[in-house]
Amino acid sequence: MRTATRFDRRMYAIMNQREAAPLFATAGRRRALVAAHVVLTAGAAAAWLALVVGDARWALFAMLGLLLPWVVATGAINGATRGLLELRARMLDERQRAERDRVRAIAHRITTALLLAGTAGFGALLWATEVRADGRTLFAALFAALVTHWLTPLWVAGLRADDDVRGDADDLA
């Protein structure tokens, strides 16, 4: 096993800071945090698509306005999970590595189900109506699938995180 690098130790320290703990101290707060992150992500993704596909210049300002709250929410979820998805495997114990595998497996099943439902729904729409997909629609759908695939593990980890009952003395140095 490789030893921890200075980068690993710094990332571990960042992910285990407890200053923001009140944001995610209870399951209800973590659920609200994940819900807010999903909404911020959807808003930012929609704004980006409006800017790129729809050529709407106002969307740039919407994206910039959503960026800071999105970053704060992402950091809080990472704090709630103590960096479960961000730290290298060598910085996690066996229990954490097993939990990371469970989170990724659950997220994979969720995204597979969403892709199946979306594909079936869009196929039914094409079959039953005169609607035809163009390149913009396909690009928007693929971008939404990419963002969902990328962030679902974070959302699942945030929802599965336990309440923090450990004290500062229990943390690793």
Side-chain angles (χ1 to χ4, degrees):
M1 179 182 214
R2 293 177 51 189
T3 60
T5 64
R6 189 171 70 204
F7 174 80
D8 291 330
R9 289 188 298 274
R10 179 70 184 134
M11 286 301 295
Y12 183 87
I14 289 170
M15 294 296 167
N16 285 280
Q17 289 178 345
R18 305 323 299 160
E19 287 84 2
L23 287 175
F24 50 78
T26 65
R29 289 181 185 174
R30 286 188 302 278
R31 283 191 295 270
L33 184 61
V34 170
H37 194 270
V38 169
V39 169
L40 289 166
T41 299
W48 188 81
L49 284 170
L51 179 65
V52 172
V53 176
D55 201 27
R57 298 286 179 225
W58 61 265
L60 177 62
F61 299 105
M63 280 179 40
L64 291 174
L66 292 170
L67 181 63
L68 181 61
W70 185 87
V71 168
V72 170
T74 302
I77 295 171
N78 280 327
T81 65
R82 293 186 175 258
L84 185 70
L85 298 171
E86 299 301 322
L87 295 174
R88 295 179 187 175
R90 64 178 163 239
M91 295 303 294
L92 302 175
D93 61 27
E94 290 178 18
R95 179 195 56 80
Q96 291 168 315
R97 286 192 297 271
E99 177 63 13
R100 181 164 59 181
D101 289 344
R102 279 191 293 276
V103 162
R104 288 178 174 163
I106 292 167
H108 177 74
R109 286 193 297 270
I110 290 169
T111 55
T112 299
L114 289 173
L115 287 170
L116 176 64
T119 302
F122 194 67
L125 180 70
L126 292 175
W127 178 75
T129 67
E130 296 296 319
V131 173
R132 293 294 168 240
D134 63 352
R136 292 174 184 231
T137 305
L138 180 60
F139 177 77
L142 288 172
F143 180 72
L146 172 67
V147 170
T148 303
H149 172 74
W150 171 42
L151 291 173
T152 300
L154 179 67
W155 298 332
V156 170
L159 293 173
R160 288 182 53 89
D162 293 328
D163 290 347
D164 193 8
V165 294
R166 298 178 348 163
D168 290 340
D170 295 330
D171 288 340
L172 295 174

